[in-house]
Amino acid sequence: MDLKTGDDAWSFEHGGSAIWRVGSYKVTHLEGTLGIERFLTPNPLKDGTECQIIYDASGPKRMLLRRNTPYTFLFVTFSVGTMKPWKNPAP
């Protein structure tokens, strides 16, 4: 459903995915995981453009950061991103 009032526009989605755009970031939420991704970055292959916070009812458990590994095949270079451990909460 979209509402337009003057210069403001509002959008509401029910039953869709839990993805929000906040500035140049995409925030996703699934039970136990909060993801933050910078999608308007000048260099999308740079490490650290995405992170995930893993949590449960007692609080945060760990934070993962996207690390990109470049591979070259003949004259083509591509990158594969994986989520690697970054930080753990203090005990």
Side-chain angles (χ1 to χ4, degrees):
M1 170 174 58
D2 294 324
L3 297 172
K4 292 185 180 180
T5 57
D7 293 337
D8 296 332
W10 299 85
S11 180
F12 173 76
E13 186 175 314
H14 176 69
S17 59
I19 300 174
W20 300 275
R21 180 176 174 214
V22 182
S24 63
Y25 294 90
K26 180 174 74 171
V27 178
T28 58
H29 180 253
L30 298 171
E31 186 66 34
T33 304
L34 179 68
I36 304 167
E37 179 181 358
R38 185 172 179 192
F39 64 91
L40 293 177
T41 181
N43 183 2
L45 300 179
K46 183 178 177 183
D47 286 346
T49 58
E50 181 181 0
C51 74
Q52 289 182 346
I53 300 169
I54 311 300
Y55 69 92
D56 64 12
S58 65
K61 295 298 174 194
R62 65 184 178 277
M63 183 180 242
L64 306 173
L65 188 68
R66 181 182 180 94
R67 302 281 185 193
N68 293 310
T69 306
Y71 295 98
T72 302
F73 180 71
L74 297 176
F75 299 104
V76 178
T77 300
F78 61 95
S79 180
V80 175
T82 56
M83 301 304 282
K84 301 283 184 169
W86 184 35
K87 293 186 177 187
N88 291 319

